[in-house]
mmCIF file of all heavy atoms in Angstrom:
data_model
loop_
_atom_site.group_PDB
_atom_site.id
_atom_site.type_symbol
_atom_site.label_atom_id
_atom_site.label_comp_id
_atom_site.label_asym_id
_atom_site.label_seq_id
_atom_site.Cartn_x
_atom_site.Cartn_y
_atom_site.Cartn_z
ATOM 1 N N THR A 497 50.828 57.411 -6.839
ATOM 2 C CA THR A 497 50.131 58.104 -7.918
ATOM 3 C C THR A 497 50.598 59.549 -7.974
ATOM 4 O O THR A 497 51.497 59.958 -7.233
ATOM 5 C CB THR A 497 48.599 58.031 -7.728
ATOM 6 O OG1 THR A 497 47.959 58.491 -8.918
ATOM 7 C CG2 THR A 497 48.141 58.852 -6.528
ATOM 8 N N ILE A 498 49.964 60.338 -8.834
ATOM 9 C CA ILE A 498 50.234 61.769 -8.916
ATOM 10 C C ILE A 498 49.612 62.472 -7.707
ATOM 11 O O ILE A 498 48.586 62.049 -7.178
ATOM 12 C CB ILE A 498 49.662 62.337 -10.233
ATOM 13 C CG1 ILE A 498 50.446 61.776 -11.431
ATOM 14 C CG2 ILE A 498 49.687 63.853 -10.253
ATOM 15 C CD1 ILE A 498 49.882 62.187 -12.787
ATOM 16 N N ASP A 499 50.238 63.574 -7.292
ATOM 17 C CA ASP A 499 49.797 64.265 -6.079
ATOM 18 C C ASP A 499 48.331 64.685 -6.112
ATOM 19 O O ASP A 499 47.610 64.559 -5.117
ATOM 20 C CB ASP A 499 50.693 65.473 -5.780
ATOM 21 C CG ASP A 499 50.794 66.474 -6.928
ATOM 22 O OD1 ASP A 499 50.249 66.208 -8.020
ATOM 23 O OD2 ASP A 499 51.431 67.525 -6.733
ATOM 24 N N ALA A 500 47.870 65.174 -7.258
ATOM 25 C CA ALA A 500 46.488 65.650 -7.327
ATOM 26 C C ALA A 500 45.484 64.535 -7.069
ATOM 27 O O ALA A 500 44.458 64.748 -6.407
ATOM 28 C CB ALA A 500 46.227 66.287 -8.689
ATOM 29 N N ALA A 501 45.767 63.347 -7.573
ATOM 30 C CA ALA A 501 44.857 62.221 -7.348
ATOM 31 C C ALA A 501 44.836 61.831 -5.878
ATOM 32 O O ALA A 501 43.772 61.542 -5.311
ATOM 33 C CB ALA A 501 45.272 61.034 -8.211
ATOM 34 N N ALA A 502 46.006 61.812 -5.244
ATOM 35 C CA ALA A 502 46.066 61.499 -3.819
ATOM 36 C C ALA A 502 45.337 62.565 -3.000
ATOM 37 O O ALA A 502 44.674 62.258 -2.005
ATOM 38 C CB ALA A 502 47.522 61.401 -3.370
ATOM 39 N N GLU A 503 45.437 63.810 -3.436
ATOM 40 C CA GLU A 503 44.747 64.884 -2.727
ATOM 41 C C GLU A 503 43.232 64.723 -2.846
ATOM 42 O O GLU A 503 42.481 64.927 -1.889
ATOM 43 C CB GLU A 503 45.174 66.238 -3.272
ATOM 44 C CG GLU A 503 44.715 67.403 -2.445
ATOM 45 C CD GLU A 503 45.810 68.418 -2.168
ATOM 46 O OE1 GLU A 503 46.804 68.444 -2.905
ATOM 47 O OE2 GLU A 503 45.663 69.181 -1.202
ATOM 48 N N ALA A 504 42.771 64.356 -4.050
ATOM 49 C CA ALA A 504 41.332 64.117 -4.231
ATOM 50 C C ALA A 504 40.859 62.987 -3.328
ATOM 51 O O ALA A 504 39.790 63.073 -2.706
ATOM 52 C CB ALA A 504 41.047 63.780 -5.697
ATOM 53 N N PHE A 505 41.651 61.943 -3.237
ATOM 54 C CA PHE A 505 41.281 60.798 -2.411
ATOM 55 C C PHE A 505 41.239 61.182 -0.935
ATOM 56 O O PHE A 505 40.449 60.624 -0.170
ATOM 57 C CB PHE A 505 42.286 59.666 -2.655
ATOM 58 C CG PHE A 505 41.771 58.304 -2.310
ATOM 59 C CD1 PHE A 505 40.586 57.833 -2.834
ATOM 60 C CD2 PHE A 505 42.491 57.473 -1.464
ATOM 61 C CE1 PHE A 505 40.111 56.564 -2.528
ATOM 62 C CE2 PHE A 505 42.038 56.208 -1.144
ATOM 63 C CZ PHE A 505 40.831 55.752 -1.672
ATOM 64 N N SER A 506 42.061 62.158 -0.543
ATOM 65 C CA SER A 506 42.139 62.548 0.863
ATOM 66 C C SER A 506 40.860 63.186 1.377
ATOM 67 O O SER A 506 40.630 63.227 2.591
ATOM 68 C CB SER A 506 43.317 63.511 1.090
ATOM 69 O OG SER A 506 43.002 64.831 0.660
ATOM 70 N N VAL A 507 40.033 63.721 0.480
ATOM 71 C CA VAL A 507 38.787 64.374 0.903
ATOM 72 C C VAL A 507 37.554 63.599 0.451
ATOM 73 O O VAL A 507 36.433 64.092 0.556
ATOM 74 C CB VAL A 507 38.724 65.829 0.401
ATOM 75 C CG1 VAL A 507 39.754 66.684 1.118
ATOM 76 C CG2 VAL A 507 38.901 65.906 -1.115
ATOM 77 N N GLY A 508 37.756 62.409 -0.068
ATOM 78 C CA GLY A 508 36.612 61.557 -0.362
ATOM 79 C C GLY A 508 36.062 61.637 -1.760
ATOM 80 O O GLY A 508 34.902 61.294 -1.987
ATOM 81 N N VAL A 509 36.866 62.108 -2.734
ATOM 82 C CA VAL A 509 36.432 62.034 -4.131
ATOM 83 C C VAL A 509 36.453 60.565 -4.522
ATOM 84 O O VAL A 509 37.519 59.984 -4.735
ATOM 85 C CB VAL A 509 37.339 62.871 -5.051
ATOM 86 C CG1 VAL A 509 37.006 62.615 -6.516
ATOM 87 C CG2 VAL A 509 37.198 64.358 -4.724
ATOM 88 N N ASP A 510 35.269 59.966 -4.589
ATOM 89 C CA ASP A 510 35.212 58.515 -4.770
ATOM 90 C C ASP A 510 34.033 58.064 -5.606
ATOM 91 O O ASP A 510 34.088 57.025 -6.259
ATOM 92 C CB ASP A 510 35.176 57.822 -3.400
ATOM 93 C CG ASP A 510 35.480 56.341 -3.475
ATOM 94 O OD1 ASP A 510 36.445 55.983 -4.173
ATOM 95 O OD2 ASP A 510 34.759 55.552 -2.852
ATOM 96 N N GLN A 511 32.957 58.854 -5.626
ATOM 97 C CA GLN A 511 31.760 58.480 -6.362
ATOM 98 C C GLN A 511 31.638 59.303 -7.642
ATOM 99 O O GLN A 511 32.086 60.450 -7.695
ATOM 100 C CB GLN A 511 30.516 58.694 -5.495
ATOM 101 C CG GLN A 511 30.483 57.851 -4.244
ATOM 102 C CD GLN A 511 30.484 56.359 -4.545
ATOM 103 O OE1 GLN A 511 29.742 55.893 -5.412
ATOM 104 N NE2 GLN A 511 31.316 55.607 -3.838
#
Side-chain angles (χ1 to χ4, degrees):
T497 191
I498 292 175
D499 56 355
E503 191 133 21
F505 202 53
S506 78
V507 291
V509 171
D510 195 45
Q511 298 299 314

